[in-house]
Amino acid sequence: GAVVSQHPSRVICKSGTSVKIECRSLDFQATTMFWYRQFPKQSLMLMATSNEGSKATYEQGVEKDKFLINHASLTLSTLTVTSAHPEDSSFYICSATGTSVYNEQFFGPGTRLTVL
Amino acid sequence: RKEVEQDPGPFNVPEGATVAFNCTYSNSASQSFFWYRQDCRKEPKLLMSVYSSGNEDGRFTAQLNRASQYISLLIRDSKLSDSATYLCVVYNYGQNFVFGPGTRLSVLP
């Protein structure tokens, strides 16, 4: 299957700092990328959907000024958590879809964010 | 009613057992269907896309019933390594992917 990478895999930061997470599709062009958040023992929660070159579409309740998403190319999307707080500590996972007619979604390995 | 619903689980089965998971979806216009598995503290991994005619991959068989808006996953000869949470995912064209809550499977020695 297609490969999606995420960096960093784990980050610990102080409250008030900003953290940038990168998501890359390594062997295909990602027409759409998704950002999810998952708290322990809970389901994935979609945060936003982004298409290359356009503004991300945020889900209800997700602050776009706090979670900045940039999808600058067909292989790279970034999520920046601005002014992070302890309640932002979570597992952040990106995914990407390409041009397959079946629209499979391939996930990155996730980034575990801990805000102290 | 949630858009995608799954068996609540957990399922605890012995090695070698056959286990079936069910999933229903509410949007009759949904176009693509998938089963993912997610191991603890890991990302979901695509297990199978579900085609209208049903499909099989080794010990795994997926079925789709559009009339009943129902998807199933059958695992035969369960292995310890099959222990995971199985996610039913539905894609609505032009909208997004909708995840079911997942069904947890534990295969016991």
Side-chain angles (χ1 to χ4, degrees):
Chain A
V3 179
V4 176
S5 70
Q6 233 178 291
H7 178 79
S9 58
R10 183 181 295 270
V11 59
I12 300 172
C13 68
K14 291 183 179 179
S15 187
T17 59
S18 294
V19 175
K20 180 187 276 190
I21 303 169
E22 288 188 353
C23 177
R24 293 180 186 273
S25 57
L26 298 185
D27 53 359
F28 68 103
Q29 292 190 322
T31 50
T32 306
M33 285 185 164
F34 305 86
W35 287 97
Y36 295 84
R37 181 166 52 180
Q38 187 174 33
F39 294 105
K41 298 189 178 181
Q42 293 189 23
S43 300
L44 286 167
M45 291 170 46
L46 179 65
M47 299 175 68
T49 303
S50 74
N51 294 294
E52 182 261 341
S54 60
K55 288 185 179 179
T57 302
Y58 289 81
E59 293 300 298
Q60 194 171 12
V62 178
E63 299 174 57
K64 62 180 181 181
D65 294 330
K66 180 169 180 63
F67 298 99
L68 301 177
I69 292 172
N70 185 292
H71 193 161
S73 75
L74 281 171
T75 59
L76 173 64
S77 177
T78 60
L79 167 68
T80 302
V81 183
T82 61
S83 187
H85 291 283
E87 58 265 30
D88 297 325
S89 299
S90 186
F91 190 44
Y92 291 85
I93 311 175
C94 74
S95 71
T97 58
T99 55
S100 165
V101 66
Y102 294 110
N103 299 302
E104 292 106 336
Q105 189 177 181
F106 297 97
F107 287 84
T111 297
R112 194 160 299 281
L113 171 64
T114 303
V115 184
L116 303 175
Chain B
R1 183 186 171 194
K2 291 182 181 176
E3 192 167 344
V4 178
E5 297 193 69
Q6 292 185 241
D7 289 328
F11 283 52
N12 298 315
V13 303
E15 267 188 291
T18 295
V19 60
F21 300 134
N22 299 316
C23 171
T24 57
Y25 60 96
S26 61
N27 187 342
S28 59
S30 296
Q31 296 187 308
S32 301
F33 310 90
F34 311 93
W35 284 102
Y36 283 78
R37 66 169 282 168
Q38 185 176 22
D39 293 285
C40 189
R41 299 170 73 86
K42 298 281 190 180
E43 78 279 18
K45 289 193 190 306
L46 180 66
L47 182 64
M48 311 177 71
S49 300
V50 187
Y51 306 138
S52 296
S53 55
N55 45 306
E56 184 174 316
D57 182 4
R59 299 181 293 109
F60 300 85
T61 301
Q63 297 277 348
L64 167 64
N65 184 322
R66 284 190 185 272
S68 302
Q69 295 177 203
Y70 166 91
I71 307 154
S72 66
L73 176 68
L74 184 76
I75 305 176
R76 290 181 297 278
D77 188 23
S78 301
K79 311 287 184 195
L80 295 176
S81 57
D82 294 333
S83 298
T85 296
Y86 289 82
L87 301 167
C88 174
V89 182
V90 173
Y91 176 69
N92 304 320
Y93 182 76
Q95 297 178 39
N96 56 22
F97 291 82
V98 183
F99 283 75
T103 301
R104 190 167 168 189
L105 171 66
S106 293
V107 180
L108 309 172

